[in-house]
Amino acid sequence: QLTMSLNSSTLLNEEKSQGPKRNSECLESLELQTPSSFQDNPLQRLQLASQEVLEKAKKSGRSKCPRCSSSRMFYCYTCFVPVETVPTKEIPTVKLPLKIDIIKHPNETDGKSTAVHAKLLAPDDVTIYKYPCIPEYEEKRHEIALVFPGPNSVSVKDIAFHLKKYSKKGVCDKDDDCSREPSLKQAKIECKEEDKNLNECISDNRGEGTRLKKIIFIDSTWNQTNKIITDERLQGLLQIELKTRKSCFWRHQKGKPDTYLSTIEAIYYFLVDYHQEILKENYKGQYDNLLFFFSFMYTLIKNAKCCAGKE
């Protein structure tokens, strides 16, 4: 569920470069390692906003970041904003059903991270932290889960069942103040103040203990994950594993199964499963635009491969 690296600035050279030279340099700089699923394009079925703005930006070349003035292609990976040639109003915005925290390894190159895509496309629901500066999750572990494979990880459809166990245990196992009023009593008080229907409020509150509110992803190469996943602040969190999806990422690491996804793929597929398995709603492409940049770059690299193969 981690990013393996993407440097959008190396995807394309300046337009003045010759075609064959551009393709060969692009392929060399990307050090392509093609996953088995790369030959097909499962991204074609996505319901995406028009990518014409990216096509235009590709033709015009690198542009300035409106905040730091750095030269970038498509977006600034340090400021999390589109460059001047990519108007923000032409970039889709995705509303997510829960909040997402992304914990980025300090050695993960900013320009190689697909986590940036999530922040660009769902800015109100995504927060990126650079390890070791991460939040304390202890008091909220009954409503938070971590996407990471492991011996104790569960599938998305089992989230509610396992969060219920966390809720029953309570969140004051250690140093928490257990003298606080029970959550249901607190809820009644809040409802009275807001003149809400009391029965409705109590019903909502009963489901609160099993409702996922935040999901955490680790943004790192697989070889760098141990330092983060063993951090005491992440211990005791419910772990989720996405076992049935295959990565389309062009920097898939040798020796790793193709079910190890890039960060943006992991976020997207988790949300699709969550929408169907937990929200129990038909999926109609609500989160497809999270792959707005990813799918465009996938096509660029696939075309570059094809052109290089013909030479």
Side-chain angles (χ1 to χ4, degrees):
Q1 300 17 320
L2 317 170
T3 196
M4 318 306 179
S5 31
L6 159 66
N7 190 337
S8 58
S9 64
T10 63
L11 292 176
L12 303 165
N13 292 316
E14 299 296 338
E15 282 296 306
K16 295 181 181 179
S17 302
Q18 296 297 320
K21 181 180 179 182
R22 181 180 69 241
N23 286 332
S24 61
E25 288 180 355
C26 178
L27 292 174
E28 182 179 357
S29 65
L30 285 167
E31 301 172 348
L32 292 174
Q33 297 170 5
T34 308
S36 58
S37 60
F38 196 88
Q39 301 304 321
D40 301 316
N41 187 355
L43 305 179
Q44 288 180 337
R45 298 186 293 272
L46 296 174
Q47 300 179 43
L48 298 173
S50 172
Q51 294 176 322
E52 184 179 356
V53 62
L54 300 182
E55 289 285 357
K56 292 179 179 178
K58 180 190 70 174
K59 293 178 181 178
S60 61
R62 298 165 69 88
S63 180
K64 285 186 178 182
C65 167
R67 293 186 183 175
C68 68
S69 298
S70 297
S71 179
R72 302 281 190 254
M73 179 65 76
F74 303 129
Y75 56 80
C76 179
Y77 44 75
T78 52
C79 299
F80 308 140
V81 294
V83 295
E84 293 178 346
T85 55
V86 182
T88 302
K89 63 181 181 180
E90 296 187 41
I91 298 299
T93 300
V94 184
K95 181 61 181 174
L96 307 184
L98 38 67
K99 300 298 182 181
I100 290 178
D101 280 0
I102 300 174
I103 302 175
K104 182 177 175 296
H105 193 282
N107 294 337
E108 179 68 11
T109 305
D110 290 339
K112 296 181 178 181
S113 170
T114 62
V116 181
H117 299 182
K119 182 62 178 175
L120 284 162
L121 298 164
D124 294 336
D125 298 315
V126 175
T127 305
I128 297 179
Y129 298 94
K130 181 171 287 190
Y131 188 83
C133 298
I134 65 174
E136 295 285 349
Y137 295 110
E138 174 66 22
E139 293 187 8
K140 298 290 185 178
R141 59 180 177 161
H142 59 297
E143 57 190 32
I144 297 176
L146 168 67
V147 174
F148 195 85
N152 298 318
S153 62
V154 303
S155 63
V156 173
K157 65 182 178 64
D158 294 326
I159 288 177
F161 172 76
H162 288 278
L163 282 182
K164 185 182 296 185
K165 293 191 296 184
Y166 279 74
S167 181
K168 287 181 178 179
K169 290 179 182 179
V171 292
C172 52
D173 296 350
K174 295 183 180 180
D175 300 323
D176 294 349
D177 179 10
C178 297
S179 63
R180 293 174 297 182
E181 292 180 313
S183 58
L184 184 57
K185 186 174 181 181
Q186 289 181 333
K188 288 181 180 179
I189 296 173
E190 292 171 1
C191 287
K192 186 176 181 180
E193 291 174 350
E194 297 174 7
D195 293 324
K196 290 178 62 180
N197 181 280
L198 184 58
N199 292 328
E200 179 182 343
C201 178
I202 294 174
S203 177
D204 289 344
N205 191 72
R206 282 174 180 161
E208 193 75 5
T210 60
R211 186 163 70 88
L212 186 66
K213 292 185 178 180
K214 180 176 289 186
I215 188 75
I216 303 169
F217 294 84
I218 297 176
D219 186 49
S220 165
T221 60
W222 286 98
N223 293 332
Q224 296 173 337
T225 60
N226 189 61
K227 184 174 183 179
I228 296 179
I229 196 61
T230 57
D231 189 287
E232 61 179 7
R233 290 168 290 183
L234 299 181
Q235 303 311 301
L237 293 176
L238 179 64
Q239 285 186 211
I240 311 298
E241 183 171 0
L242 307 174
K243 301 178 181 180
T244 62
R245 309 290 189 173
K246 292 185 178 181
S247 177
C248 292
F249 199 44
W250 43 91
R251 275 186 179 273
H252 189 77
Q253 294 180 3
K254 288 183 178 179
K256 302 299 181 183
D258 56 7
T259 53
Y260 280 22
L261 308 171
S262 66
T263 301
I264 193 62
E265 287 179 299
I267 292 173
Y268 169 73
Y269 285 125
F270 170 83
L271 289 170
V272 172
D273 289 348
Y274 180 83
H275 193 85
Q276 297 172 316
E277 300 287 352
I278 304 301
L279 300 183
K280 302 296 183 182
E281 297 179 12
N282 292 329
Y283 183 69
K284 300 179 180 179
Q286 290 91 331
Y287 315 120
D288 283 10
N289 275 320
L290 285 174
L291 298 179
F292 180 75
F293 292 105
F294 184 90
S295 62
F296 185 80
M297 294 170 180
Y298 173 97
T299 301
L300 285 184
I301 295 173
K302 186 174 182 179
N303 291 342
K305 270 187 68 72
C306 291
C307 292
K310 293 177 182 179
E311 294 169 3

